[in-house]
Amino acid sequence: MPTRTKAFEYAVDVDTGGRMTIPGGGQFVPPEGWSADHLLLAALVRCSIDSFAYHARRAGHEVTASGEAQGTITKSDEDGRYRFVAIDVRIHAQLAPRTNEVDDLIAKAERDCFIGASLTLKPEYAWHVS
């Protein structure tokens, strides 16, 4: 019997006013000036933090974390289309209890962030964990 792969399904509705709603959940209205590009960067930071926290908790740590991302969009040399050509992500995390062995947690966080794994361009990460 073939094994069944776990699947995660998500849905969002965006109305004509730009309000985003998830089924059975809350509504989000992006503040003025936010674009889909900003939302993608925010999703990448949030996903990276969530992924790191998941693996840290499994290893017995409590986590507090924040982060930021910057991206550059320009014409690609490959096909002349505008796209992200660089994304830099910085995550600042504190673990309790502290550990000096964070490389494995960081590698798992980068590997398991669905947003980062879905991008054609691999984000450049800078992790600051204490």
Side-chain angles (χ1 to χ4, degrees), residues 6-101:
K6 187 186 294 187
F8 301 91
E9 295 185 13
Y10 297 90
V12 63
D13 293 321
V14 180
D15 68 17
T16 57
R19 292 176 295 270
M20 295 173 246
T21 307
I22 58 173
Q27 189 175 71
F28 175 69
V29 180
E32 187 175 326
W34 278 69
S35 68
D37 307 310
H38 292 109
L39 293 170
L40 184 135
L41 293 174
L44 177 59
V45 171
R46 178 79 262 157
C47 181
S48 299
I49 290 171
D50 289 349
S51 183
F52 182 79
Y54 171 81
H55 289 291
R57 282 191 303 270
R58 289 191 61 184
H61 302 279
E62 291 183 25
V63 180
T64 55
S66 64
E68 59 266 355
Q70 291 181 306
T72 301
I73 296 175
T74 192
K75 282 187 179 181
S76 166
D77 290 337
E78 295 172 20
D79 60 10
R81 296 179 64 196
Y82 281 91
R83 67 179 67 192
F84 277 104
V85 295
I87 297 176
D88 296 310
V89 180
R90 286 173 302 287
I91 305 294
H92 311 276
Q94 293 181 327
L95 297 177
R98 291 183 179 201
T99 181
N100 291 329
E101 299 178 18

